[in-house]
Amino acid sequence: MSSSKYSDLTREQLLEHIEKLEAQISNPENTQHDSDSSELKHKKRRQREQKNRPFDMNKYTKRKIALQVAYIGWDYCGYASQNRPEEIPTIEDKLFKALINCKLVEDMEQSDYSRCGRTDKGVSGLGQVIALNVRSKKLQSDPSPDLLPADKEFPYIDTLNRMLPPDIRVLAWAPVQDDFSARFHCTGRTYKYFFPRNKMNIENMRKACTYFEGPHDFRNFCKMDPSKNVLSYERVIMSMKINPVQHTQTVGVGEGTEFYEVELKGTAFLWHQVRFMMSVLFLVGQGLEVPEIVRDLLDIEKVPSKPDFPMASDLPLVLYDCEFKGLEWTYSFRDSEYDPVPSSYRTYLHYNEEWTTQMIRTLTCQNYLSKVAKFPVIMPDKSLKTVEEFSEARSVVSSAGVATIVLGGGKEMRMSKYKPVLQRPRCDTDELKKSKFEVRKKRKLDRLQQQEKIEEESQS
């Protein structure tokens, strides 16, 4: 008689096994439950294994794309990464963190990355454009030589926006050639700068704008960095206009509260150029300088180095648009067919929420402003005026000669006695700055060499 798996069981063990079998026969659902439970455990184990398995980028092809990026720059230390994301957060840091987490790139260095411009600390961007190589949905095993069409590719916009903070959004993407550069293929960059009129003469400011237009040497309207070895300070301003901002209602808030925007279009810009241009434009608007001051500062023979004047605020400045020839932007995953909730609509809802939040804050401050405007102020003749009337009566330069200088973004500075820009101390010329930089660099190199020599002698 052949042995079975029950041969070695005791009588008690056999009885216990029979009881289990009888229970399963009387309630077959338990058997199914045990089977389902086992299958669920197996599924979870497979998921854990897949999660722990390293992602293989080599399974996919790559393609070069351009991304149109919008950001509110108020809480960032500029656009370009400083390689210290925790201490010095930038827009670029957040973008690449999202790109890497989405497994679209491995790192910045291997992505053939380029950006259209690097905005300063606090400056925002609506039309920033970057280009880089990203993972495609197309597998390496796919024999087709063609790139995937937009509606078959990864939903780049939605994927990235889910990973980005609320003050950064990808608006669109476009396929580009492998040699495309977001910096060098840009044909025009447009900035906007917003400001309240206050007591400024808009017509004089518009006249000053005409002197900026065209090709000029802008060394007196930028911050020089001799380490960059800039060879030419000539830039071309295609147009510079001042217009009222649409869709803002400030009637009754106070005198001079209506908003205007400077729209400035050029081929390229120097470091801090727009903010220095706005600073002089405000001086013209306040009547502290004539419009021709712009023409004089652009005359390098007459004014070979920059006089000492401050930059305008970063808060109202926006990189509004970057122009390229031949790019076909995709704004939603399914641009070619109906989508009940397209990417562009989700982006619109996001900014509608942001706008509502900021408008509520604005209206709150506006109520405070309106209330304080009615507070009484005693005049020299003992008469009473409201704060609003007192503000309207004050001139740019007080009777004591103190000048209030507008810097934009609600900021002002006061000078006990206004000194015209052309009479102020001058910075070093470009040549002198570069010469001093070379001397400092040589001195530093000599110190390092001397230190190395001392260390070698101490070891010998």
Side-chain angles (χ1 to χ4, degrees), residues 72-76 121-124 314-317 358:
I72 305 296
W74 306 332
D75 295 329
Y76 293 94
K121 178 181 178 180
V123 176
S124 299
D314 51 59
L315 179 70
L317 183 57
Q358 297 299 334

Side-chain angles (χ1 to χ4, degrees), residues 72-247:
I72 305 296
W74 306 332
D75 295 329
Y76 293 94
C77 298
Y79 177 83
S81 175
Q82 304 297 314
N83 298 315
R84 295 161 64 189
E86 299 302 323
E87 302 169 60
I88 310 176
T90 68
I91 307 298
E92 208 164 60
D93 291 328
K94 299 296 184 183
L95 272 173
F96 268 90
K97 182 179 179 181
L99 284 160
I100 292 168
N101 287 342
C102 292
K103 302 293 190 293
L104 294 178
V105 302
E106 293 181 89
D107 52 46
M108 185 189 295
E109 289 71 25
Q110 300 182 63
S111 63
D112 192 24
Y113 170 73
S114 62
R115 55 177 174 252
C116 188
R118 45 183 301 163
T119 49
D120 302 331
K121 178 181 178 180
V123 176
S124 299
L126 180 58
Q128 175 72 274
V129 172
I130 65 172
L132 72 171
N133 289 320
V134 296
R135 179 167 64 101
S136 171
K137 199 173 183 179
K138 180 183 175 183
L139 297 172
Q140 289 282 9
S141 57
D142 188 336
S144 171
D146 300 326
L147 296 170
L148 292 178
D151 59 351
K152 301 296 183 184
E153 257 301 358
F154 279 122
Y156 291 118
I157 301 170
D158 293 312
T159 302
L160 285 167
N161 284 343
R162 278 194 291 268
M163 301 297 292
L164 287 166
D167 47 10
I168 305 175
R169 279 294 176 270
V170 172
L171 303 182
W173 75 274
V176 295
Q177 299 295 321
D178 289 340
D179 62 350
F180 178 84
S181 167
R183 178 184 176 188
F184 296 112
H185 284 83
C186 180
T187 59
R189 296 165 173 86
T190 300
Y191 282 89
K192 284 193 175 186
Y193 196 100
F194 303 101
F195 66 96
R197 180 177 62 81
N198 290 328
K199 299 178 185 298
M200 285 185 276
N201 185 319
I202 300 298
E203 290 308 313
N204 279 356
M205 294 175 73
R206 284 172 173 154
K207 185 177 180 182
C209 286
T210 63
Y211 293 117
F212 279 122
E213 293 178 335
H216 297 288
D217 189 311
F218 283 92
R219 69 183 64 202
N220 290 333
F221 290 93
C222 73
K223 185 173 182 179
M224 291 181 176
D225 183 354
S227 67
K228 302 297 184 185
N229 194 29
V230 176
L231 300 177
S232 173
Y233 292 94
E234 183 171 298
R235 298 293 185 270
V236 178
I237 301 299
M238 301 174 184
S239 64
M240 189 171 184
K241 310 295 181 188
I242 302 179
N243 294 306
V245 175
Q246 299 297 312
H247 314 303

Side-chain angles (χ1 to χ4, degrees), residues 295-433:
R295 183 184 61 194
D296 292 339
L297 288 170
L298 291 170
D299 186 344
I300 304 308
E301 292 186 4
K302 183 175 182 178
V303 188
S305 62
K306 178 183 169 294
D308 182 22
F309 61 88
M311 282 194 299
S313 168
D314 51 59
L315 179 70
L317 183 57
V318 178
L319 176 57
Y320 183 72
D321 191 26
C322 297
E323 298 178 16
F324 297 86
K325 292 180 180 178
L327 291 193
E328 296 183 6
W329 293 106
T330 293
Y331 298 95
S332 294
F333 181 51
R334 296 183 179 88
D335 268 0
S336 58
E337 59 184 77
Y338 174 73
D339 184 346
V341 190
S343 307
S344 52
Y345 179 62
R346 281 193 287 273
T347 303
Y348 173 81
L349 290 177
H350 171 76
Y351 281 120
N352 182 268
E353 181 181 344
E354 293 292 309
W355 173 81
T356 302
T357 301
Q358 297 299 334
M359 279 300 296
I360 290 170
R361 289 173 176 162
T362 298
L363 291 171
T364 301
C365 292
Q366 184 173 308
N367 275 277
Y368 293 3
L369 181 67
S370 298
K371 182 171 183 176
V372 174
K374 304 305 179 187
F375 287 2
V377 175
I378 299 177
M379 303 306 290
D381 61 359
K382 304 299 182 181
S383 64
L384 283 179
K385 284 191 175 182
T386 64
V387 170
E388 185 175 8
E389 292 169 339
F390 180 77
S391 175
E392 290 174 5
R394 285 176 66 86
S395 59
V396 174
V397 180
S398 71
S399 56
V402 178
T404 302
I405 313 298
V406 171
L407 296 177
K411 295 181 179 179
E412 296 178 342
M413 64 177 289
R414 285 169 178 75
M415 296 180 67
S416 57
K417 185 177 181 181
Y418 183 76
K419 180 179 284 190
V421 169
L422 294 183
Q423 296 177 22
R424 298 185 191 184
R426 306 285 176 85
C427 301
D428 291 339
T429 63
D430 180 48
E431 294 76 12
L432 185 55
K433 279 180 178 285

